[in-house]
């Protein structure tokens, strides 16, 4: 957290519970059976949607906007449930792009003594050709890229947005 703050990011504290409609990959979602409010009816499986929502509610604020959250996400694969300690960083400004986000990721991971590579990837949250899997050795530990214009439009965000979401479990 200190390293991300030192790079100029502001920390956001979101809820681990959310509504299923805001999830990425809702098929892996963990839904609550007896929820009191639709707003808190599922466990988040990514922090990306919550940070995009924060940006959409702060369009009036000065740019650049750099935000992050570190916390737990959970997903289901069949009957197995896995929890992941995740870090998501997001930049929004006129020149936010893949390269800038990779530089932030490099600064963060090199400060922890971790080497990584980026492999091209397709991900529905990111622009085709501007997304990559974050690899440590042969293991995928996250995804990064430029948020899709369709998602930005859906949230009324007029600035480019770049993001990275990484599983920190390998560091713990």
């Amino acid at each position: 957290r200190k390293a991300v703050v030192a790079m100029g990011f502001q920390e956001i504290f979101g809820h681990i519970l959310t509504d299923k409609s805001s999830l990425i990959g809702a098929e892996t979602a963990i839904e609550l059976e007896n929820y009191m409010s639709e707003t808190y009816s599922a466990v988040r499986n990514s922090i990306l949607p919550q940070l995009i929502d924060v940006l959409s509610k702060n369009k009036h604020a000065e740019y650049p906007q750099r935000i992050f959250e570190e916390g737990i996400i959970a997903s289901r694969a069949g009957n197995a449930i896995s929890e992941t300690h995740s870090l998501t960083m997001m930049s929004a400004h006129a020149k936010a792009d893949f390269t800038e986000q990779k530089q932030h990721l490099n600064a963060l991971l090199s400060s922890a003594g971790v080497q990584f590579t980026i492999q091209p990837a397709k991900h529905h949250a990111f622009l085709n050709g501007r997304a990559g899997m974050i690899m440590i050795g042969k293991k995928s530990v996250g995804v990064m890229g430029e948020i899709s214009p369709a998602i930005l439009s859906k949230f009324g965000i007029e600035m480019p947005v770049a993001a990275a979401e990484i599983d920190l479990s390998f560091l713990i």
Side-chain angles (χ1 to χ4, degrees):
R1 287 170 144 159
K2 289 179 184 178
V4 182
V5 169
M7 290 187 289
F9 285 76
Q10 182 177 2
E11 188 167 17
I12 303 299
F13 294 97
H15 298 283
I16 192 168
L17 295 179
T18 188
D19 64 294
K20 186 177 178 182
S21 67
S22 69
L23 297 175
I24 292 177
E27 66 279 355
T28 66
I30 299 168
E31 294 181 70
L32 304 179
E33 286 184 14
N34 296 314
Y35 56 86
M36 302 262 315
S37 167
E38 186 72 31
T39 304
Y40 304 109
S41 61
V43 179
R44 68 182 176 184
N45 60 2
S46 173
I47 298 173
L48 284 169
Q50 289 174 316
L51 292 188
I52 291 169
D53 187 52
V54 168
L55 290 177
S56 75
K57 292 177 177 158
N58 288 283
K59 294 178 284 192
H60 64 283
E62 188 175 328
Y63 289 94
Q65 292 182 28
R66 291 185 176 93
I67 58 176
F68 80 99
E69 183 175 348
E70 173 266 330
I72 301 295
I73 61 172
S75 61
R76 176 191 313 274
N79 290 331
I81 294 175
S82 63
E83 279 189 4
T84 303
H85 198 86
S86 183
L87 170 74
T88 303
M89 301 182 296
M90 194 169 281
S91 296
H93 57 90
K95 295 185 181 184
D97 65 5
F98 183 92
T99 301
E100 176 197 26
Q101 201 61 41
K102 186 176 177 188
Q103 290 169 339
H104 291 305
L105 193 59
N106 187 51
L108 175 69
L109 293 180
S110 65
S111 73
V114 176
Q115 294 199 0
F116 71 99
T117 58
I118 302 293
Q119 290 185 355
K122 287 188 176 185
H123 188 282
H124 54 275
F126 297 106
L127 187 60
N128 281 338
R130 304 297 292 167
M133 291 291 240
I134 304 164
M135 306 293 293
I136 296 179
K138 294 184 180 192
K139 183 177 181 187
S140 171
V141 296
V143 63
M144 63 165 296
E146 296 174 16
I147 300 294
S148 156
I151 291 174
L152 296 178
S153 178
K154 177 182 173 184
F155 282 87
I157 299 170
E158 297 175 359
M159 287 286 170
V161 177
E165 184 161 39
I166 185 167
D167 175 355
L168 295 177
S169 300
F170 71 91
L171 289 175
I172 298 172

